């Protein structure tokens, strides 16, 4: 625990270092209810000390809340650690809250993104208004970021490790559009749980809850060769766009192991991507070579590696040399498994006539709503793939694709809708020619 001393030693274990308490840089009897901006004091403490600790309270019901505007800087090689019952609360501001310098470490820090406190003064916050920004070779562990306007954990750098961290309620769509779902036209105001650009980054044992766009994503240029292990995605209050997106990386494929997010899809458009033992609503691959999908399970949708798409009225390229072995596809309805990629529930289209599809089981829907389209394999070696038909393949414990809102967020959305309607009443009255007070 932290006493009145300026510097203390954290004995035992791997730490064995002296820590400087943030309290030594704050005024006597500091205001710890999250209303005072202590960014300058926090930055000074971090600049002058290699190891800084944020003290917590003795009461979990009344944590110490340290207010700060964006731009908290952790210098290269320094460490910021937080005790339990301490919160770093973002005061209204634009940008990233915590900048983590190269080879720095952050442990146990909880960030309240305070997105509801930003509205309506800050109307245009978006994805880049994140909680944590990693600069490279960083270690971030046991951290939590919630109510974030944009992305929770964001990096454009290499060799970072993010472990045992949690992202909750990321994105500004609920405030900006009074909505509880994602649309592409609102993308700039959305938020991801873990946005991992750069190379050779590892995300392990992390969770993402109610992130408007993707729970986890590695995408586009200057990105690739990431690893996700034992990561989980959930949808409690919003309907996110998807679970994991490995999209168009120019730096090589990503590996996913034992990742579970039954509410949304795993989307792959990067060659050399590998997916082992994962679960998602559906898994779709397009224009990606040497993809491996092994021992995975879908809940509701299908697996599609290219095929004919009636939605696009065209053939979607699968990729060269796909390897699809030992997967279980559970369909909950008669429609195609991935409407934008394939007209079938399970399809693998090899672009070069090579690859292996073996020992996959399609539990296809066949019931009152119709019969599912089944399996289609093209230009690929196949062995022991089977289709079972039935009316229901929803196992116990699988999260519903339609989230049930908590009472608090249900009330918050209702209030936002009423506020928006009230603001438009004067204009409607003028258009209707009403001259009395409405």
């Amino acid at each position: 625990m932290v006493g009145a001393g300026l510097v203390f030693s954290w004995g035992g274990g791997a730490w064995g270092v002296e820590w400087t308490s943030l309290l030594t840089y704050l005024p006597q009897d500091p205001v710890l209810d999250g209303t005072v901006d202590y960014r300058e004091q926090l930055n000074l403490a971090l600049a002058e000390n290699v190891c800084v600790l944020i003290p917590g309270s003795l009461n979990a019901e009344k944590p110490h809340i340290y207010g700060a505007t964006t731009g908290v800087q952790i210098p290269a090689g320094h460490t910021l650690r937080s005790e339990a019952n301490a919160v770093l609360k973002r005061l209204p501001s634009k940008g990233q809250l915590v900048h983590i310098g190269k080879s720095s470490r952050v442990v146990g820090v909880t960030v309240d993104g305070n997105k509801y406190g930003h509205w309506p003064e800050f109307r245009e916050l978006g994805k880049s208004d994140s909680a944590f920004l990693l600069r490279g070779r960083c270690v971030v562990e046991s951290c939590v970021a919630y109510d974030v306007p944009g992305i929770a954990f964001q990096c454009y750098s290499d060799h970072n490790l993010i472990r045992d961290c949690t992202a909750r309620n990321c994105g500004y769509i609920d405030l900006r559009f009074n909505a509880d779902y994602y649309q592409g036209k609102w993308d700039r105001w959305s938020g991801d749980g873990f946005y991992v650009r750069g190379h050779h980054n590892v995300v392990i044992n992390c969770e993402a809850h109610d992130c408007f766009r993707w729970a986890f994503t590695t995408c586009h240029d200057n990105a690739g060769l990431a690893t996700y292990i034992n990561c989980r995605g959930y949808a409690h209050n919003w309907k996110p766009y998807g679970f994991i997106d490995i999209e168009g990386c120019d730096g090589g494929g990503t590996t996913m192991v034992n990742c579970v997010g039954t509410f949304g899809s795993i989307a792959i458009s990067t060659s050399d991507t590998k997916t082992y033992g994962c679960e998602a609503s559906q898994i779709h691959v397009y224009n990606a070579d040497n993809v491996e999908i092994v021992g995975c399970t879908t809940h509701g949708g299908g697996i599609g590696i290219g095929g004919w798409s009636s939605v696009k009225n065209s053939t979607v390229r699968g990729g060269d040399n796909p390897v699809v072995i030992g997967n279980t596809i559970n369909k909950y309805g008669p429609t195609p498994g991935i409407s934008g990629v394939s007209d079938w529930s399970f399809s693998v289209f090899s672009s070069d006539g090579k690859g292996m599809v073996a020992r996959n089981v399609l539990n296809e829907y066949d019931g009152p709503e119709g019969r599912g389209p089944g399996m289609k394999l093209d230009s690929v070696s196949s062995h022991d793939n089977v289709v079972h038909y039935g009316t229901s393949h929803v196992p116990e414990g699988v999260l519903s694709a339609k989230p049930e809102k908590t009472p608090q967020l249900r009330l918050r959305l209702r209030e936002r809708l009423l506020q928006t309607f009230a603001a438009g009443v004067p204009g409607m009255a003028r258009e209707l020619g009403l001259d009395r007070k409405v």
Side-chain angles (χ1 to χ4, degrees):
M1 291 303 299
V2 179
L6 301 184
V7 180
F8 63 94
S9 176
W10 187 271
W15 292 104
V17 296
E18 288 189 339
W19 295 84
T20 298
S21 170
L22 175 60
L23 292 178
T24 65
Y25 282 79
L26 302 185
Q28 189 174 4
D29 298 323
V31 178
L32 298 181
D33 62 0
T35 60
V36 178
D37 186 0
Y38 288 130
R39 182 187 66 180
E40 291 187 7
Q41 292 87 340
L42 180 54
N43 278 342
L44 183 60
L46 288 164
E48 294 183 347
N49 302 276
V50 174
C51 298
V52 174
L53 186 135
I54 302 176
S57 73
L58 296 174
N59 186 350
E61 300 297 322
K62 295 182 178 180
H64 287 169
I65 304 176
Y66 301 81
T69 47
T70 52
V72 174
Q73 304 286 339
I74 302 176
H78 288 212
T79 298
L80 177 65
R81 182 176 175 272
S82 178
E83 288 187 324
N85 305 327
V87 176
L88 184 61
K89 183 175 182 178
R90 171 181 175 156
L91 297 179
S93 52
K94 183 175 176 59
Q96 297 95 2
L97 180 63
V98 181
H99 297 241
I100 308 171
K102 288 186 177 180
S103 303
S104 296
R105 188 176 185 184
V106 181
V107 183
V109 174
T110 295
V111 165
D112 175 0
N114 191 30
K115 70 176 186 179
Y116 300 106
H118 285 68
W119 188 269
E121 289 79 9
F122 289 79
R123 297 181 59 87
E124 296 299 326
L125 297 185
K127 290 178 292 188
S128 61
D129 295 282
S130 57
F132 296 97
L133 176 65
L134 289 68
R135 297 292 193 184
R137 300 186 181 274
C138 302
V139 176
V140 179
E141 53 189 331
S142 303
C143 292
V144 176
Y146 64 90
D147 291 355
V148 181
I151 294 166
F153 298 85
Q154 182 179 37
C155 77
Y156 300 86
S157 53
D158 304 335
H159 300 287
N160 296 288
L161 170 62
I162 306 175
R163 179 172 58 200
D164 299 323
C165 292
T166 300
R168 296 181 184 274
N169 190 17
C170 299
Y172 223 42
I173 286 176
D174 55 324
L175 286 165
R176 191 70 173 75
F177 302 102
N178 304 327
D180 59 358
Y181 55 92
Y182 172 92
Q183 283 196 1
K185 62 184 178 181
W186 300 337
D187 187 79
R188 61 172 291 191
W189 298 280
S190 67
D192 305 309
F194 298 80
Y195 182 85
V196 184
R197 294 274 286 275
H199 305 91
H200 302 288
N201 295 297
V202 177
V203 182
I204 183 170
N205 296 338
C206 291
E207 294 186 357
H209 302 251
D210 288 327
C211 301
F212 263 111
R213 196 170 66 161
W214 294 97
F216 305 87
T217 181
T218 296
C219 57
H220 306 314
D221 56 336
N222 297 316
L225 300 172
T227 302
Y228 295 99
I229 301 174
N230 296 336
C231 292
R232 299 290 185 266
Y234 302 91
H236 309 288
N237 300 288
W238 314 141
K239 187 176 181 182
Y241 187 65
F243 175 35
I244 300 179
D245 181 33
I246 312 301
E247 180 184 353
C249 302
D250 63 356
T254 284
T255 299
M256 294 161 277
V257 181
N258 296 335
C259 296
V260 178
T262 59
F263 71 93
S265 63
I266 294 176
I268 299 169
S269 59
T270 300
S271 296
D272 302 305
T273 294
K274 299 174 175 60
T275 306
Y276 303 131
C278 295
E279 298 183 42
S281 64
Q282 61 185 32
I283 300 173
H284 54 98
V285 179
Y286 55 95
N287 197 30
D289 303 327
N290 304 313
V291 169
E292 296 180 16
I293 302 175
V294 179
C296 296
T297 303
T298 70
H299 298 281
I303 292 179
I305 302 181
W308 170 261
S309 170
S310 297
V311 174
K312 296 183 177 181
N313 195 31
S314 64
T315 299
V316 177
R317 181 181 185 271
D320 296 348
N321 193 36
V323 176
V324 186
I325 299 175
N327 303 286
T328 301
I329 301 102
N330 296 304
K331 284 292 299 305
Y332 299 175
T335 56
I338 305 157
S339 61
V341 172
S342 170
D343 286 354
W344 297 275
S345 296
F346 175 40
S347 70
V348 181
F349 278 44
S350 173
S351 303
D352 64 350
K354 300 178 181 178
M356 173 67 70
V357 182
R359 297 187 177 179
N360 299 283
V361 177
L362 168 59
N363 291 319
E364 181 62 277
Y365 180 87
D366 186 9
E369 298 178 26
R371 182 182 177 98
M375 175 173 61
K376 176 70 171 177
L377 308 177
D378 186 77
S379 302
V380 66
S381 298
S382 62
H383 304 276
D384 301 326
N385 301 289
V386 297
V387 182
H388 298 305
Y389 288 92
T391 57
S392 177
H393 297 291
V394 184
E396 293 184 5
V398 173
L399 291 174
S400 170
K402 183 178 179 181
E404 295 295 332
K405 298 176 185 59
T406 62
Q408 180 184 14
L409 282 173
R410 195 159 47 231
L411 178 62
R412 183 171 281 159
L413 272 176
R414 182 185 176 194
E415 290 175 345
R416 286 285 304 119
L417 288 167
L418 288 172
Q419 290 168 2
T420 301
F421 178 76
V425 166
M428 288 186 285
R430 287 193 299 270
E431 290 179 7
L432 294 171
L434 300 178
D435 56 1
R436 58 184 177 177
K437 185 175 182 181
V438 179

